[in-house]
Amino acid sequence: MFELSKEGVEFVKKEMQRYETKRSAIIPALYKVQEENGGWVSPECVTYLSQLMDLPEVWINEVLNFYTMFNKEPVGKYHVQVCCNVSCAMNGGRELADHLCKELNIKDGRHSEDGRYTLSRVECLGSCGTAPMMQVNDKYYENLTKESAVQILKELP
Amino acid sequence: MEVKVLTKHYDKPEYRSLEGYKKYGGYEVLKKALGMKPEEIVAQVKEAGLRGRGGAGFPTGVKWGFLPNNGEPRYLVCNADEGEPGTFKDRMMMEKAPHQLIEGMLISAYAIQSKKSYIYIRGEYMEPYRIVEKAIQEAYDAGFLGKNILGSGFDHDMDVYRGAGAYICGEETALLSSLEGKKGQPKLKPPFPAVEGYLRKPTIVNNVETLAAVVTIVKDGPKEYRKYGTEKSPGTKIFSVSGNVLKPGNYEVPLGYPLKDLIYNLCGGLKPGRQLKAVIPGGSSAPVLTAEEAERATLDYECLAEMKSMLGSGAVIVIDDSNCMVDLLKVIMHFYHHESCGQCTPCREGTGWLDKIVGSIYKGEGRLQDIQLVEQVSKHMMGRTICALSDAAAMPAISFVQKFRSEFEFYVREGRSKVKEVIANA
Amino acid sequence: MSIVHKDTPSTKWYLPGILSGMGLTIKKLFYNLFHRKKMPTLNYPEEKYEYSPRFKGNHVLTVKKDGSLRCTACMLCATNCPADCITIVAAEHEDPTVEKYPIHYEIDILRCVFCGFCEEACPVDAIRMGPEWQTPGLADDNFHYDIQRLAYRPQLKGGILSRVDDEERHQFGL
Amino acid sequence: MLKCKINGVEVEVKEGTTIIEAFKIAGQKIAHYCWHPGLSVAGVCRLCMVEIKGQPRLQIACNTPVQDGMEITNQSEQVKETVRWGLDFHLINHPLDCPICDQAGECGLQDQYMEFGLYTPEMAEPKVKKHKVVDLGSKIVLDTERCILCSRCVRFTAEVTKTYELGIFNRGDRSEIGTFENKPLENNYALNTVDICPVGALTSKDFRFRQRVWYLQERESICTGCSTGCNIKIYFNEEGLFRIRPVYNEKVNGYWMCDEGRNIYKFVNKENRLLKAKKGRKGEWLEMEGGAAAKDVAHHFKSLDKERIALVVTGQFSNEEYEALFQFYKKNVGNDFVYHWINNKESFEDFDGLLLRGDRNPNTKGLLQKLEDYRYEQTWAHLEENLKAGKIETLIVAGPENPLWFPDLKEKVQQWGIQLSHLIWLSSAKVQAVDEVECLTWQIPLKTFFEKDGTYVNYQGLEQKSHRIATIVPGALSLSEAAHLMAGEEYKVDMAPILKGPKKNYYVHRRGYL
């Protein structure tokens, strides 16, 4: 059974006050839950959040399933998102993703075998001028080459 | 040449903080604006002919004029959900000059007499989110936000809201849905957000660049603003250039600037030995221009509309002859398939269908009639839905197929790309 | 209508008629004795005539690869039947990919006019009209053919495979 | 009032009317899936496109208000082309499993395809796979592949019942209707979502696979499940009744009805009915026709002590029947031992806020009025007292149509069997307890609301007429017929046509083509 930490509960309560409707707090609350649940939101989290926020589970689940930044399944310690949209594709974003799959031992196209990395090919991240690029968790890495990307990922703690 | 009006001080790192911003005349315009009547500011913006920089190009002053006078609380929302492939100007503006945005929002909020505003930032922009959040805190501490701002009796609260990854939230009504904590699905129009928006209250949604431009208009007056640009598209605009150019990046140029100059002068041209093949002038949803059209095009709303394309958000994607158009269309179609919110049937099913057709052509399993089918499906997706996402998907599809038909036909017949062939031969 | 019989020599004297008739019989007898393979008659019931496969005889319910009934109980055959001779009772199948199947399928063969409309109406090739045509029986025999008889009678040797396969269709996403 | 022209037909509509409503007023056909008059406007199916003179872009009719002097058409080539493509967009990912879909025959996609489609599909790509046969509790099965995401059901649970069970998850063509973690959709109005679903995505477990809809006839009637008196449509054929759906009535039920009310058809079907009249007592019953039994009662009546007779009535009958029964009682018995049997005293005044009322009788109000008219003012306690004291020997009981809603039925009947010497039991339902009584009993089968004409007064005091449709149990009498026959009068028993023979394809009958 998932439960937020005391500080997390306080954060959600505060967010519910912060906006005009408490429904607006769903997205921040889901971010918090995702952070505390190891990078993804499980159905139990939704049930828990629905009780905490006193909102129908369906509302939370709809939001959870609509937005791409909420993970519906467990992810590795580093969620590597490689942009494969037009500008990046033209500058080798897709090849970079394939290369990373190979280098990081990602067989099924999602998770590396040691569970450290999860790779997803995502749509435009708004860094087209510095293509190709990737986002690891919150942080942007731009103007990559195959070698530099691997190096960056390998050097992560 | 670049004309730096908005981006004048962007090269100075201290411009990001309140102190640095004030050093270069920050918040002086706000003082001036608070001394004016709200109607005067609206009139000035109207006179300056400022058009929305987010994509649709709707005149900002006219939009403000739609607000009903029914005494209901009004909201101002800044659309910083920059998701259009090829666009990265708002990110730069928020990172480099958050206070410029806040000042612009304060002036706009005063002009429309709104007491509460939100900045909706796309979820992936964690860095800009932190910067803007910090800037707002600074502004509160300095008394630029909150009760009785600068002793004028004008109260205003500002907050940031972080999205969670949905291109469609860049559409204003979808953004408002998202802000209400719902799925980011566009709402039916009418009623327009200016009448019934956030929480069914009158709401104005403006792009980051638009709101920042309000500062310069109020600062120098509409006449000065009109000095740049053309008659119908006045002012300067930031263009995000990406793709196969040597120096991609954001460039502020007056509207009406020739596209050719942007590519070859400011951006350093193409890689050596490459020919220009096509240019997407306004983000991935704008119809593509051929090289020949790109030579003629000037960057303003009218010229591009005449060429059946659009200025959009000002994201210029330059494509050279090493790219296969089938491949690029597949990437673009996959994007719209991924991002359709699923509300209206033509868009929900049409984007998926286009993605599958183009995908099967790409895999070499296409039929000749598929090319025509792409056109037909796109044609019937256009103008049939609540928001413009289905148009945004249909327009590139139609233009790609029409302008590069021979390439598509070659691909269908041979099951491989013409371009790679050409390059190999060369 | 009245028939006028006129006496002619050939009818007045019966002997020529008998002789010519006997002549034909004897000719055929000898012909058949020497050309036994060309004989047009069969020694029914020891010998049976094979009709073409397109003959609309007794109904067959086809089966899937696993031997279960192909029929989805859509009732289109029953709806289309001009003689109202098909009765189907549908039920929910345990397997969600099958969803609906008939627990009871009955054709009143004495009402059936063998028009073949059921075969035409069937969307999944579940009912066909086979080449069998002998349906003798006594008055108290059961002429309501049930699933057992329609799909698994011994003559069918474990059932006839349907041409329409769900798995293949799902594979191609149809 | 605004004037507008719809396909050339001039109509006047109220201010604020949308074009689609004007189309309905003008009696013109318009394709639509997501719009439902009882729900908010979603505007997502994009099928109700119309061309307005002077506007270059096609507009959706459901969200565009009529303005004075508008000329609107949906017959132009442009609109037809658009609707055809709109339909194609709906169909490209539709699984086309009509053979096993319960909606086939009343499906919006089929109807519109016959109207606008009739083309060869151009979709050559694989369809999107989603979940099939999702169990949504005891009432409903969901098939997300068939779903066209019109969001009617989602809006229903959000706006009408406010229970928020359903939602649309994911986005683009991966969107799916569903409940959170397959939680059951169990509210008492859930089956309305099945009614409003324009395709076969939501199907009712109760009706699932029992009949193809073209084998069903439909007739309007009044629900006798509670004192609200919802207007209903009964679907039946020669094999019996199969389902009930609501019919719009602004004053009574709007567009909806409760799920409990939908079950009343079960008490009309033969399995739960008293099929033959019986005379005798436990273990020694003599079967006879209803009329004969009533006449036998009349014959026997003379030998009974009139002062020791009492009448028990329930609120399940029509005004006309009460009138005839009380007339009979007044003339032939004359005492005022008439008692109103209230089934569920504790929950009698309950109301769930939407439609369902605690008073599970269709005509309590009518009965009370008639009791007042005849000045029958005895209380139930009085009956119990008299029974205990042995002052009553014979009881005439006009029993319930639906025994489920009379929880005290068994106990009462057993008690009467001991206390009485004669019981005259009038009811349409098969009641096990009555078969086991020890006193001399006549059981006379009655007609249900489906088989007789009658007026019912609902809780608001609104009189609603229900008409006879067909006969299920041929020997049954209405309460008034029974009353006349028990009085010894010669009376002709009238009957609606009996349901027999093989079922027919009623679509051919109704539309003239298949």
Side-chain angles (χ1 to χ4, degrees):
Chain A
M1 193 60 219
F2 171 81
E3 259 181 45
L4 277 174
S5 64
K6 210 171 158 200
E7 173 249 347
V9 172
E10 241 162 57
F11 172 80
V12 172
K13 291 254 158 78
K14 214 178 85 203
E15 289 292 308
M16 283 162 70
Q17 303 293 320
R18 181 170 167 187
Y19 305 105
E20 263 83 343
T21 58
K22 61 177 179 180
R23 198 172 173 177
S24 293
I26 291 179
I27 291 178
L30 278 172
Y31 271 128
K32 192 80 203 168
V33 168
Q34 175 159 309
E35 186 190 317
E36 293 200 4
N37 193 42
W40 72 296
V41 185
S42 64
E44 293 94 71
C45 302
V46 175
T47 313
Y48 169 76
L49 207 54
S50 128
Q51 282 158 4
L52 181 69
M53 299 175 75
D54 191 23
L55 292 172
E57 285 156 334
V58 165
W59 286 3
I60 298 169
N61 204 35
E62 275 186 338
V63 169
L64 170 68
N65 279 285
F66 188 84
Y67 297 99
T68 50
M69 289 190 62
F70 300 123
N71 299 313
K72 271 75 74 179
E73 49 186 55
V75 292
K77 189 175 173 200
Y78 297 108
H79 190 192
V80 184
Q81 306 180 47
V82 183
C83 173
C84 291
N85 211 293
V86 196
S87 302
C88 289
M90 279 160 52
N91 287 304
R94 287 173 297 180
E95 289 79 14
L96 174 70
D98 293 342
H99 183 74
L100 288 181
C101 273
K102 213 165 68 194
E103 286 293 312
L104 301 177
N105 237 342
I106 297 172
K107 292 268 161 65
D108 55 350
R110 285 284 292 150
H111 306 284
S112 66
E113 268 171 6
D114 54 0
R116 188 169 141 94
Y117 304 103
T118 297
L119 185 128
S120 29
R121 293 168 170 80
V122 296
E123 303 300 346
C124 187
L125 291 172
S127 188
C128 316
T130 45
M133 61 83 61
M134 67 177 177
Q135 187 184 13
V136 182
N137 295 345
D138 279 346
K139 205 162 169 354
Y140 276 33
Y141 296 92
E142 297 165 321
N143 283 325
L144 298 169
T145 60
K146 282 179 187 173
E147 294 73 38
S148 69
V150 174
Q151 200 189 346
I152 288 168
L153 289 174
K154 292 247 160 105
E155 277 172 9
L156 285 170
Chain B
M1 260 328 282
E2 251 192 296
V3 174
K4 294 199 171 179
V5 177
L6 286 171
T7 56
K8 202 170 179 178
H9 307 291
Y10 277 26
D11 49 351
K12 296 157 188 116
E14 70 266 30
Y15 202 56
R16 189 186 279 182
S17 67
L18 183 64
E19 286 312 307
Y21 185 65
K22 274 168 113 174
K23 202 169 112 191
Y24 298 103
Y27 289 106
E28 289 302 319
V29 190
L30 177 66
K31 278 177 202 153
K32 182 184 168 193
L34 289 177
M36 291 158 74
K37 278 187 188 153
E39 301 85 58
E40 278 178 66
I41 302 174
V42 177
Q44 282 201 355
V45 171
K46 261 188 202 167
E47 207 189 320
L50 176 64
R51 294 173 66 162
R53 301 296 196 226
F58 194 80
T60 307
V62 179
K63 197 186 219 177
W64 291 0
F66 286 151
L67 285 168
N69 274 323
N70 52 8
E72 281 191 335
R74 292 162 171 185
Y75 290 98
L76 175 71
V77 178
C78 169
N79 183 348
D81 188 89
E82 184 182 47
E84 181 79 30
T87 321
F88 46 96
K89 63 181 174 67
D90 295 346
R91 175 164 154 245
M92 176 193 74
M93 297 187 79
M94 286 186 289
E95 278 178 1
K96 301 226 162 127
H99 285 287
Q100 191 185 26
L101 171 64
I102 293 169
E103 189 176 8
M105 283 185 74
L106 273 168
I107 298 168
S108 308
Y110 176 70
I112 62 169
Q113 288 294 300
S114 149
K115 291 212 177 345
K116 175 94 205 188
S117 61
Y118 285 100
I119 304 173
Y120 184 98
I121 300 181
R122 69 177 292 192
E124 289 89 343
Y125 283 0
M126 199 58 203
E127 198 54 35
Y129 174 77
R130 292 204 186 103
I131 292 168
V132 170
E133 206 176 29
K134 187 167 157 255
I136 288 178
Q137 200 48 53
E138 282 175 345
Y140 263 112
D141 294 343
F144 293 123
L145 280 169
K147 292 249 175 290
N148 195 10
I149 296 164
L150 301 174
S152 64
F154 174 63
D155 308 334
H156 191 78
D157 285 309
M158 194 178 288
D159 211 339
V160 209
Y161 194 84
R162 191 167 156 229
Y167 168 68
I168 188 63
C169 289
E171 202 274 347
E172 55 177 2
T173 50
L175 185 148
L176 295 176
S177 291
S178 181
L179 198 54
E180 287 166 13
K182 301 174 188 166
K183 289 181 290 178
Q185 288 186 326
K187 301 177 189 180
L188 271 178
K189 286 164 272 185
F192 287 90
V195 182
E196 265 186 34
Y198 180 55
L199 303 173
R200 319 204 68 171
K201 299 284 186 307
T203 307
I204 292 291
V205 184
N206 280 133
N207 182 256
V208 176
E209 196 187 345
T210 318
L211 290 166
V214 170
V215 183
T216 55
I217 292 172
V218 176
K219 183 177 160 200
D220 305 329
K223 280 220 181 81
E224 183 70 18
Y225 187 77
R226 274 187 171 276
K227 219 169 76 184
Y228 300 107
T230 64
E231 176 57 33
K232 282 186 178 163
S233 313
T236 58
K237 165 138 186 51
I238 303 173
F239 286 92
S240 313
V241 189
S242 62
N244 303 127
V245 285
L246 287 177
K247 287 193 284 171
N250 285 309
Y251 296 94
E252 188 177 7
V253 293
L255 287 165
Y257 193 75
L259 179 57
K260 199 172 55 177
D261 290 357
L262 182 70
I263 298 171
Y264 290 108
N265 296 347
L266 294 177
C267 300
L270 306 171
K271 279 183 200 152
R274 288 271 165 263
Q275 292 282 311
L276 186 65
K277 183 175 197 177
V279 176
I280 303 176
S284 71
S285 35
V288 68
L289 299 177
T290 59
E292 179 265 326
E293 281 172 318
E295 297 285 322
R296 286 188 284 127
T298 57
L299 292 167
D300 54 85
Y301 296 96
E302 287 69 39
C303 173
L304 289 173
E306 216 169 84
M307 290 183 166
K308 299 231 161 56
S309 187
M310 59 186 204
L311 189 70
S313 55
V316 178
I317 303 173
V318 183
I319 302 163
D320 72 16
D321 59 354
S322 66
N323 293 289
C324 169
M325 296 312 265
V326 181
D327 182 22
L328 288 188
L329 184 62
K330 191 198 75 170
V331 172
I332 294 176
M333 286 303 109
H334 180 265
F335 171 71
Y336 288 108
H337 180 198
H338 184 253
E339 296 297 344
S340 167
C341 82
Q343 202 176 192
C344 307
T345 313
C347 172
R348 178 181 69 229
E349 306 294 346
T351 49
W353 196 0
L354 284 177
D355 186 22
K356 284 179 197 164
I357 300 174
V358 179
S360 75
I361 294 178
Y362 182 76
K363 272 188 274 171
E365 294 161 4
R367 310 165 295 171
L368 270 180
Q369 71 252 42
D370 280 345
I371 299 173
Q372 207 184 342
L373 194 59
V374 170
E375 272 183 85
Q376 271 185 332
V377 172
S378 314
K379 190 183 138 204
H380 287 96
M381 281 163 68
M382 280 186 4
R384 298 283 178 270
T385 49
I386 292 177
C387 77
L389 191 134
S390 79
D391 300 58
M395 283 186 301
I398 286 192
S399 66
F400 267 70
V401 169
Q402 280 178 349
K403 290 180 182 170
F404 299 91
R405 186 180 286 272
S406 62
E407 211 176 312
F408 278 82
E409 280 172 358
F410 184 89
Y411 210 117
V412 169
R413 270 201 303 273
E414 304 286 321
R416 66 200 153 88
S417 174
K418 195 178 182 179
V419 175
K420 286 182 184 132
E421 188 82 350
V422 172
I423 291 170
N425 285 344
Chain C
M1 195 171 81
S2 64
I3 298 166
V4 181
H5 291 280
K6 261 190 187 167
D7 286 348
T8 60
S10 63
T11 55
K12 197 170 181 182
W13 300 94
Y14 62 89
L15 212 54
I18 285 182
L19 287 177
S20 68
M22 286 301 280
L24 184 71
T25 309
I26 288 163
K27 198 176 121 197
K28 287 281 171 199
L29 172 71
F30 280 101
Y31 181 85
N32 285 347
L33 277 176
F34 294 110
H35 298 90
R36 288 190 64 173
K37 288 211 170 128
K38 289 188 180 171
M39 208 152 74
T41 54
L42 289 173
N43 290 328
Y44 184 81
E46 286 83 20
E47 286 176 30
K48 278 167 187 162
Y49 183 73
E50 277 295 318
Y51 283 93
S52 87
R54 292 161 65 190
F55 179 78
K56 287 181 180 172
N58 280 358
H59 310 73
V60 176
L61 289 183
T62 58
V63 294
K64 295 183 224 169
K65 279 182 189 143
D66 61 354
S68 59
L69 272 193
R70 174 68 272 226
C71 177
T72 58
C74 70
M75 319 239 176
L76 286 184
C77 50
T79 308
N80 216 12
C81 181
D84 274 342
C85 68
I86 305 178
T87 321
I88 307 170
V89 178
E92 179 118 32
H93 202 279
E94 287 165 5
D95 180 2
T97 54
V98 179
E99 210 171 336
K100 192 181 180 186
Y101 80 114
I103 46 168
H104 178 86
Y105 192 111
E106 198 177 86
I107 296 179
D108 183 349
I109 209 76
L110 292 186
R111 284 185 72 120
C112 177
V113 292
F114 294 93
C115 61
F117 281 9
C118 46
E119 197 182 3
E120 274 178 43
C122 186
V124 290
D125 185 36
I127 187 166
R128 288 191 210 160
M129 299 191 82
E132 296 164 23
W133 51 276
Q134 304 100 325
T135 42
L138 299 172
D140 55 351
D141 274 358
N142 187 8
F143 289 101
H144 291 265
Y145 288 5
D146 59 0
I147 292 176
Q148 203 52 42
R149 175 128 192 211
L150 287 166
Y152 306 112
R153 57 178 176 257
Q155 294 94 310
L156 300 177
K157 299 185 178 88
I160 303 227
L161 211 61
S162 171
R163 280 191 297 270
V164 182
D165 192 317
D166 271 343
E167 274 172 30
E168 280 171 24
R169 285 165 71 193
H170 286 306
Q171 216 170 7
F172 292 115
L174 295 170
Chain D
M1 296 299 266
L2 305 169
K3 268 188 190 167
C4 64
K5 241 187 191 175
I6 285 162
N7 287 345
V9 182
E10 252 194 54
V11 282
E12 269 192 33
V13 295
K14 269 186 263 167
E15 196 107 3
T17 312
T18 53
I19 292 178
I20 202 164
E21 284 163 346
F23 264 80
K24 301 274 161 187
I25 293 167
Q28 296 289 319
K29 270 190 198 167
I30 185 159
H32 62 83
Y33 292 131
C34 64
W35 180 79
H36 188 279
L39 301 170
S40 67
V41 175
V44 296
C45 75
R46 315 306 286 184
L47 225 52
C48 60
M49 289 279 180
V50 290
E51 194 175 331
I52 302 164
K53 206 177 170 185
Q55 292 187 18
R57 239 180 99 146
L58 298 185
Q59 299 289 340
I60 49 167
C62 58
N63 194 42
T64 315
V66 173
Q67 278 158 19
D68 206 24
M70 258 187 183
E71 284 184 36
I72 308 150
T73 178
N74 68 347
Q75 297 297 313
S76 70
E77 277 311 307
Q78 197 195 356
V79 176
K80 280 186 180 167
E81 171 94 1
T82 306
V83 174
R84 200 189 74 91
W85 272 90
L87 191 63
D88 205 10
F89 284 129
H90 277 97
L91 285 171
I92 54 167
N93 281 322
H94 191 77
L96 294 181
D97 52 2
C98 309
I100 52 165
C101 176
D102 250 2
Q103 192 84 359
E106 51 183 10
C107 171
L109 290 169
Q110 288 180 337
D111 289 350
Q112 301 302 343
Y113 183 80
M114 298 307 279
E115 190 88 12
F116 297 98
L118 296 175
Y119 55 83
T120 350
E122 306 197 58
M123 173 81 170
E125 324 303 329
K127 298 190 179 213
V128 178
K129 288 269 151 221
K130 291 181 192 171
H131 296 97
K132 286 186 92 73
V133 204
V134 182
D135 195 341
L136 290 187
S138 63
K139 296 174 186 169
I140 293 173
V141 178
L142 167 68
D143 188 313
T144 53
E145 275 187 2
R146 292 179 196 154
C147 176
I148 55 167
L149 296 160
C150 68
S151 79
R152 276 185 183 183
C153 52
V154 178
R155 280 175 283 149
F156 179 83
T157 54
E159 290 163 16
V160 180
T161 60
K162 300 201 169 56
T163 43
Y164 306 103
E165 287 108 341
L166 286 166
I168 299 178
F169 306 126
N170 225 324
R171 67 190 192 197
D173 59 5
R174 285 94 59 215
S175 303
E176 274 181 57
I177 296 267
T179 53
F180 173 68
E181 283 285 281
N182 296 336
K183 283 211 168 157
L185 175 59
E186 290 284 13
N187 70 63
N188 191 27
Y189 293 85
L191 285 172
N192 286 304
T193 59
V194 176
D195 294 347
I196 57 178
C197 181
V199 295
L202 294 163
T203 45
S204 151
K205 277 196 177 168
D206 185 37
F207 181 66
R208 205 165 144 85
F209 303 155
R210 289 185 61 205
Q211 286 291 331
R212 300 312 310 243
V213 289
W214 53 83
Y215 285 130
L216 294 172
Q217 292 188 67
E218 49 184 77
R219 288 298 172 73
E220 288 188 15
S221 189
I222 307 293
C223 176
T224 55
C226 79
S227 61
T228 304
C230 296
N231 289 208
I232 55 170
K233 209 180 245 181
I234 302 173
Y235 291 77
F236 65 99
N237 67 16
E238 283 70 10
E239 291 168 11
L241 279 65
F242 286 93
R243 67 171 173 190
I244 284 174
R245 286 183 157 186
V247 169
Y248 175 65
N249 188 334
E250 197 192 343
K251 285 183 209 144
V252 185
N253 55 320
Y255 294 93
W256 323 115
M257 76 180 289
C258 71
D259 292 354
E260 285 189 25
R262 286 169 200 265
N263 282 330
I264 60 166
Y265 78 88
K266 290 178 183 160
F267 302 101
V268 181
N269 278 338
K270 271 192 177 149
E271 305 87 79
N272 294 311
R273 293 286 295 277
L274 179 60
L275 299 175
K276 286 272 183 211
K278 293 179 196 169
K279 181 190 174 185
R281 49 170 59 89
K282 186 181 180 180
E284 39 188 288
W285 292 104
L286 179 67
E287 282 198 356
M288 53 175 84
E289 285 302 321
K295 280 184 179 166
D296 191 56
V297 171
H299 185 72
H300 209 85
F301 219 69
K302 288 169 203 145
S303 62
L304 296 173
D305 183 352
K306 299 285 184 297
E307 283 308 309
R308 312 188 91 177
I309 297 178
L311 174 65
V312 168
V313 283
T314 55
Q316 303 242 322
F317 300 93
S318 66
N319 280 353
E320 292 82 352
E321 285 171 305
Y322 290 134
E323 177 69 30
L325 184 67
F326 291 162
Q327 277 291 340
F328 151 80
Y329 196 77
K330 199 172 156 191
K331 272 191 206 148
N332 293 283
V333 182
N335 66 24
D336 68 341
F337 295 166
V338 179
Y339 306 96
H340 179 197
W341 184 2
I342 296 171
N343 43 340
N344 46 346
K345 282 207 181 69
E346 308 77 40
S347 58
F348 201 71
E349 295 295 326
D350 287 2
F351 179 48
D352 71 348
L354 264 168
L355 293 169
L356 183 65
R357 284 175 187 275
D359 175 11
R360 297 297 173 80
N361 300 293
N363 202 16
T364 302
K365 204 128 191 180
L367 173 62
L368 292 175
Q369 183 61 44
K370 277 279 172 318
L371 286 172
E372 205 180 307
D373 290 351
Y374 279 85
R375 304 218 162 68
Y376 292 137
E377 286 151 353
Q378 301 291 7
T379 59
W380 192 258
H382 185 253
L383 171 71
E384 304 244 300
E385 225 168 77
N386 278 352
L387 278 171
K388 233 175 243 165
K391 278 186 194 160
I392 291 170
E393 278 179 352
T394 307
L395 201 59
I396 307 170
V397 183
E401 205 165 286
N402 183 348
L404 257 196
W405 293 330
F406 283 73
D408 53 350
L409 183 68
K410 193 178 168 193
E411 176 204 334
K412 287 235 160 68
V413 169
Q414 276 169 348
Q415 190 193 335
W416 291 336
I418 297 160
Q419 288 166 333
L420 296 168
S421 58
H422 301 97
L423 174 65
I424 300 165
W425 175 259
L426 302 145
S427 172
S428 63
K430 182 161 72 186
V431 180
Q432 187 64 30
V434 184
D435 280 345
E436 284 161 9
V437 291
E438 296 286 353
C439 64
L440 181 60
T441 304
W442 287 266
Q443 292 188 41
I444 300 177
L446 291 186
K447 291 175 179 172
T448 54
F449 72 101
F450 185 71
E451 300 162 295
K452 67 195 178 192
D453 291 327
T455 313
Y456 298 91
V457 184
N458 78 351
Y459 76 99
Q460 302 160 298
L462 187 78
E463 279 190 16
Q464 299 193 97
K465 270 205 157 56
S466 144
H467 296 283
R468 65 178 197 188
I469 298 164
T471 297
I472 303 284
V473 179
L477 307 170
S478 73
L479 193 55
S480 25
E481 284 161 354
H484 283 292
L485 287 171
M486 287 195 299
E489 294 167 25
E490 281 301 317
Y491 194 79
K492 193 174 169 294
V493 176
D494 208 9
M495 222 168 37
I498 302 169
L499 292 174
K500 60 177 179 192
K503 55 194 178 184
K504 295 187 201 84
N505 183 345
Y506 289 99
Y507 272 32
V508 181
H509 289 254
R510 204 153 58 222
R511 303 202 288 204
Y513 61 90
L514 244 181

